[in-house]
Amino acid sequence: MSVPAGGSTPADNPPPAARGDWPEDRRVGRTTDVPLLSRTGHDRGHLARSLPDPAEGRPVRVLLVDERRTVPVREGGAGPELVYDERADFPEGGIYLGRADGVAYAAVRTPQGVGVPGRTVDRWAGLREVGGALGDLDAGLLAEAVAMVEWHERNRFSPLTGARTTVERAGWVQRDPESGVEVFPRTDPAVIMLVHDGGDRCVLGRQAVWPAGRFSILAGFVEPGESAEAAVAREVAEEVGLEVTDVRYVASQPWPFPQSLMFGFVARAVGTDLRVDEDEIEEARWFSREELRAGTGPRALPPAVSIARHIIDRWAAGDLC
């Protein structure tokens, strides 16, 4: 039960024509913070409590999210910035995202091609493309907005009665009108792991749906009743036939494609013979640190916005073992 190493689920792999937002990049070894990890400049504490009128009579900044999960972006002096629609009131159908500096933020689903009144938009872009280059406030809001829009799109009917749900609490609850049961947003835990030989080699794999030459680390969903560490061992055994030990946690990353939370690990292989399950991945190979540093290994690696790339970079730099 694998997920692509960037973190999205098999059912949500974009078609080939939609994968242009994964820039080709073969250089590794930079030690950076995990993109989107704890990157938030807004207050989400309100979401654990009963929500009052989120706007309270103040203007609201609204992020428009279209069906491709892209949002309006402009090129600022320090890099890309999200473009918000400034509204006097909380929008109908809006999803409350939180506050920053006293300003309320919301997300609204919108058709493609809709403009932002009075604002300059240079392009519409997705989280994979610009998430790693955004400031903390924009990055946190975009990850939250995409996750919540995905949840609403996929949960329009009650899992109990099949009745169409009604949206309450500024987008954070869907209620079954027949049973009265509240349905809350869900997050699917997944593991993503770099498997190494205890020395200078690691295993990278590729899926057939990826562009030619792209490799990444292994990944998969956590199953019911299973710990994250057990999921690491099971997925590695299923995908490449290796037993692992020394499973060590690195970091986590929200990955709303559609609603995953990626838990990153490194693990040491017991043995080096790869037995690839071709139902899971197309190919797997051992690569050395030198190959990754020199750019003589895979033709392409995961994008900088992904935790997969963060773990590869840290391992290649010698920070993880």
Side-chain angles (χ1 to χ4, degrees), residues 64 70-75 81-85 113-125:
L64 304 179
T70 62
V71 297
V73 175
R74 78 177 185 92
E75 296 301 329
E81 301 173 351
L82 302 186
V83 178
Y84 298 93
D85 185 9
V114 173
V116 182
R119 304 298 303 276
T120 299
V121 176
D122 293 323
R123 57 183 169 134
W124 286 66

Side-chain angles (χ1 to χ4, degrees), residues 90-306:
F90 193 79
E92 181 179 357
I95 303 167
Y96 188 30
L97 301 178
R99 296 182 183 277
D101 297 327
V103 177
Y105 288 83
V108 169
R109 291 167 287 176
T110 188
Q112 292 183 25
V114 173
V116 182
R119 304 298 303 276
T120 299
V121 176
D122 293 323
R123 57 183 169 134
W124 286 66
L127 183 62
R128 286 188 179 96
E129 183 181 358
V130 298
L134 294 173
D136 287 352
L137 176 61
D138 281 354
L141 289 167
L142 178 54
E144 182 183 2
V146 171
M148 289 300 295
V149 167
E150 287 279 2
W151 177 65
H152 278 282
E153 290 288 344
R154 294 167 182 272
N155 295 272
R156 300 176 180 177
F157 299 90
S158 168
L160 299 177
T161 67
R164 179 176 285 276
T165 56
T166 58
V167 178
E168 300 180 0
R169 293 182 62 188
W172 284 85
V173 168
Q174 294 191 40
R175 186 179 296 277
D176 179 347
E178 296 185 6
S179 67
V181 169
E182 294 179 324
V183 181
F184 296 92
R186 300 291 299 274
T187 297
D188 296 327
V191 292
I192 185 163
M193 48 276 177
L194 182 142
V195 178
H196 60 88
D197 63 357
D200 285 326
R201 296 193 306 164
C202 72
V203 176
L204 300 181
R206 57 167 281 101
Q207 294 196 355
V209 296
W210 291 351
R214 183 183 297 282
F215 281 78
S216 187
I217 56 180
L218 308 177
F221 284 113
V222 180
E223 294 184 347
E226 183 178 51
S227 70
E229 292 81 1
V232 168
R234 176 183 54 77
E235 286 287 348
V236 173
E238 290 177 357
E239 294 188 354
V240 295
L242 292 175
E243 178 186 351
V244 295
T245 186
D246 294 338
V247 178
R248 299 183 183 183
Y249 174 74
V250 178
S252 65
Q253 181 190 47
W255 196 247
F257 300 107
Q259 53 192 36
S260 297
L261 176 60
M262 308 297 294
F263 293 95
F265 292 88
V266 292
R268 180 168 58 85
V270 178
T272 59
D273 292 336
L274 301 178
R275 300 186 304 277
V276 175
D277 181 348
E278 295 182 357
D279 290 334
E280 297 274 357
I281 57 178
E282 180 183 57
E283 181 183 1
R285 293 169 49 193
W286 289 98
F287 292 93
S288 69
R289 279 191 171 98
E290 182 56 33
E291 285 178 300
L292 296 176
R293 290 169 178 162
T296 57
R299 187 186 309 174
L301 291 168
V305 71
S306 68

